[in-house]
Amino acid sequence: MNAFEFLLALYTIVAGLGISLLVRSIGQVIEARDRVRLYWVHTCWVALIFVSHVVSWFGLWGYARNESWTILQALLLLCVPVLLYLISHLSVPELDDDRVHDMREYYFRHARWMQGLLLTVIVTGALAHFVIAGQLDFSGGRGIRGAMAVILLPGIISLRPAVHAVQAALLLLVMAIAVSYVAQPIG
């Protein structure tokens, strides 16, 4: 096993935990559907978090040819799935009680944290790429980072529902573009 395979295995474990948590939470929402008031912006965020997990994992493949790894490079890369795990944790409440859960209220309670953490994912991913590749790259799929950062900033600053509605629509568009890059062959 080379260093990249080792890092990939560790990354996969952490990302898998985040995806598992997110899927478990969605299962809880389905089970408690009579007690959950959905909110479309929140639903967009749950989809975005799932796609972010998958895109970040596929993005790691771009470093497969890197022959030597430092602890700093590994830590920066592993921060991405750890932060995405935290976002997954915040994305859906525990629904073990018998009360009604309003996803709109829940979303706005955690929106700044989720968006701030996602912005941190973007910055950390860009910094990791810089440390590994020795250059900032905003071309192709990596250019999506810049667009997402710009879209996230208003939602971190403001909790106005209109801002978050526009933001959700724009993030869905960016997510569709990101998925198109994932559809390209890796390797």
Side-chain angles (χ1 to χ4, degrees), residues 7-24 49-50 52-54 56-57 78 80-82 84-85 88:
L7 181 62
L8 181 63
L10 189 54
Y11 193 102
T12 301
I13 291 167
V14 178
L17 288 170
I19 291 171
S20 175
L21 179 63
L22 191 62
V23 171
R24 177 186 161 275
I49 295 162
F50 176 76
S52 296
H53 275 290
V54 174
S56 74
W57 185 74
L78 290 173
V80 171
V82 168
L84 287 172
Y85 176 91
S88 294

Side-chain angles (χ1 to χ4, degrees), residues 44-182:
C44 290
W45 263 92
V46 170
L48 176 69
I49 295 162
F50 176 76
V51 170
S52 296
H53 275 290
V54 174
V55 168
S56 74
W57 185 74
F58 269 91
L60 187 63
W61 194 258
Y63 303 113
R65 290 186 173 86
N66 191 34
E67 294 183 18
S68 64
W69 288 89
T70 66
I71 297 296
L72 175 62
Q73 292 168 333
L75 285 173
L76 286 170
L77 281 178
L78 290 173
C79 280
V80 171
V82 168
L83 291 166
L84 287 172
Y85 176 91
L86 293 173
I87 298 167
S88 294
H89 180 75
L90 287 174
S91 67
V92 181
E94 288 294 325
L95 302 173
D96 295 338
D97 55 18
D98 288 331
R99 63 187 187 93
V100 174
H101 293 271
D102 183 344
M103 291 300 113
R104 180 172 197 218
E105 178 185 313
Y106 185 83
Y107 168 79
F108 282 107
R109 182 167 178 246
H110 296 287
R112 285 188 169 138
W113 271 97
M114 290 191 309
Q115 294 191 27
L117 287 169
L118 189 56
L119 183 60
T120 306
V121 166
I122 293 166
V123 170
T124 303
L127 182 59
H129 182 74
F130 178 75
V131 169
I132 294 165
Q135 65 181 15
L136 288 176
D137 181 11
F138 294 106
S139 64
R142 287 193 175 83
I144 291 172
R145 287 183 182 145
M148 286 191 68
V150 169
I151 294 168
L152 288 171
L153 285 174
I156 294 169
I157 296 167
S158 172
L159 288 178
R160 292 182 50 214
V163 169
H164 287 262
V166 169
Q167 186 185 46
L170 290 172
L171 287 170
L172 282 177
L173 176 64
V174 170
M175 184 172 63
I177 293 168
V179 169
S180 75
Y181 282 104
V182 172

